[in-house]
Amino acid sequence: MTVAIYNQEVIDTDDKVVNHQQQSSLSPPFFYPEASLDDVIKKAQFEATEAKKNPHTFKKPIQRVAVIGAGPSGLPTAKALKEHGLEVRIFERMGEVGGNWVYSEESPLTPSIPSDNNPAPRSKQDVLEKQKKEDGILMEANHKERMSHAPSTACYAGLHNNTAAPIMLNYEDFPWPENTPWYISHTRVHQYFKDYANEYGLYDLVELNTNVEFVERKQQSTEEEKEEGWELTVRKREELDNGMARYKSWTESFDAVVMASGGFHRPQVPEFKHLREYNEQWPERIIHSKQYRRHTDFVGKNVLIVGGNASGVDIAFHLEGTAKNVYMVIRNEIDPSIEQSTVGLLLRSMIPDNVIRKRGIVAFSNLNGDVDGSITFNDGTVVNDIDTVIFATGFITDFEYFGPLQAVRRNQEQQQQQEKTKENGDATEEPLVISNGRRVLNTYQEVFLIRDPTLAFVGVPGHIINTAFFYYQAQAVARVWSGSAFLPSQQKMQEYVDSTTLYPSFPDDVNLQSGILHSQRFVTWLNDHANYIANNKSNEEEKKKELYTLKGIDPNLNAKWVEIRESWPQRSLDVKKALKEI
């Protein structure tokens, strides 16, 4: 139901036919045919069989791996690589593992308003100049300095998970304690990841307070020599007792790299008429939801929240009874008659009745176009006493440490312009990593870079997914790189990506069924190859070292949906209780 399988010809859904060739290759189509568990298994089995016939061959064994990020995707990846015998180094810019669940009282620096959608790529020269200027030099450890190195996450006081912890916010090899509630505080979620790191000795592998500044492929001496490895330039921060900080940079070489730093770093602030001018006059008024920390910062204020999905809804709920008035721009209402809308409706049921809903913003100015602090909405109303605007408008997936190796193509026009530039001979080699600001486009299974499968991405699929899914992505990386599973040839990988996509969209993909189907892609493939390898081992000792069989997310968990839904009101009560204690 929640995973779509469509081919490159046509899509026929509810009598609506969409020619896929007319769709942008940068985004999924608007309509999705249904896919059953059997459909997903059949497709995964076919590709697994083809991979055994003609597998991709790495130029040399992979022995040393860098994992960028020690959050919900980096931790299971490092654990899987370690248990498959690979040498692992984890680089984490925060002072603790846990990724987006690491809470800090400090807010990140204000992002560009609106977002700069075409920033200049980071260069190696930029990195070297910063090293020369700052390495070993004592500098004041202040807010700007700390946030420039490791910006705080989007975690805020009173935050509770909105997916059922025991079955969606967990790893297959590390279940939550029995009787764990469906919904818990961010501190308990964070503790789960710290416990996981302790249980499997991952702290021994991680370099905390260390930012990856630049990732580059080693220079090739001949055209034939491919996949020769990667070089990472990293920068470690040390805060001293005297209120000063200093940095140390170095480079390390690896056979392969896992990008597991997540997609919730660079805030997305859309363009609106007169937004720039409004922000220039009142720069203290506008923040992104990533900067939100606690409801008590908004006592007696008039707040406008732009965005009606998870973070926007949650912040509106937090501000009830604290802010004077809360306005909320919700561009797309959810149709309650659509079965898949149940999760979205559940999330939005938290919006307090006294929130003033708006369908869109015309301009950050009055009806005459004067930038006087007013905001004009598309229903013709004008509000002139907003104290704070909170953009809960998501994030841009950006891997700035790739520098010129990355290209972001957010629309068909950008794609065509870059192709035209290349045709005219004005462009260098095609960038290695192509993204659309939400996901990497040129990957197999949204994990392995097709042009060079020694680079992998874990935790940044194009669909919304739960933490349990990251475990199976991590297993794929570890098993492929250790020789315990195979990738199809590069040609076949590209064919499969071009011809068939598994790609649901909000709100269809925040429920149990999505996690079940998406994880099954990996479970079918990896278990098939594990059995194949076991059956072809040459002696009894080798056969005893069989890979364990992945279970996947139990399809019977769908039956838990009623219980999860009925527990939602208790979540609201728990959040309110937590807010009173702040």
Side-chain angles (χ1 to χ4, degrees), residues 328-345:
M328 194 170 191
V329 174
I330 303 177
R331 186 174 57 181
N332 298 314
E333 296 289 350
I334 296 175
D335 184 352
S337 67
I338 300 176
E339 179 186 355
Q340 293 96 322
S341 298
T342 51
V343 175
L345 289 171

Side-chain angles (χ1 to χ4, degrees), residues 15 17 136 156 173 182 196 201 230 248 253 276 297 299-300 321 357 400 443 486 535-536 569 580:
D15 297 323
V17 178
Y156 46 85
D173 60 352
W182 295 126
Y196 187 85
W230 300 84
K248 176 186 177 181
S253 296
R276 295 175 190 272
D297 295 335
V299 174
R357 300 192 186 204
E400 58 183 358
T443 53
F486 313 113
N535 291 334
N536 285 276
K580 289 179 181 179

Side-chain angles (χ1 to χ4, degrees), residues 412-431:
Q412 195 72 11
E413 182 179 349
Q414 286 183 331
Q415 168 100 351
Q416 292 170 347
Q417 180 60 42
Q418 290 179 4
E419 289 175 353
K420 183 178 180 181
T421 301
K422 188 173 181 180
E423 288 173 2
N424 293 337
D426 300 327
T428 57
E429 180 188 2
E430 173 83 359

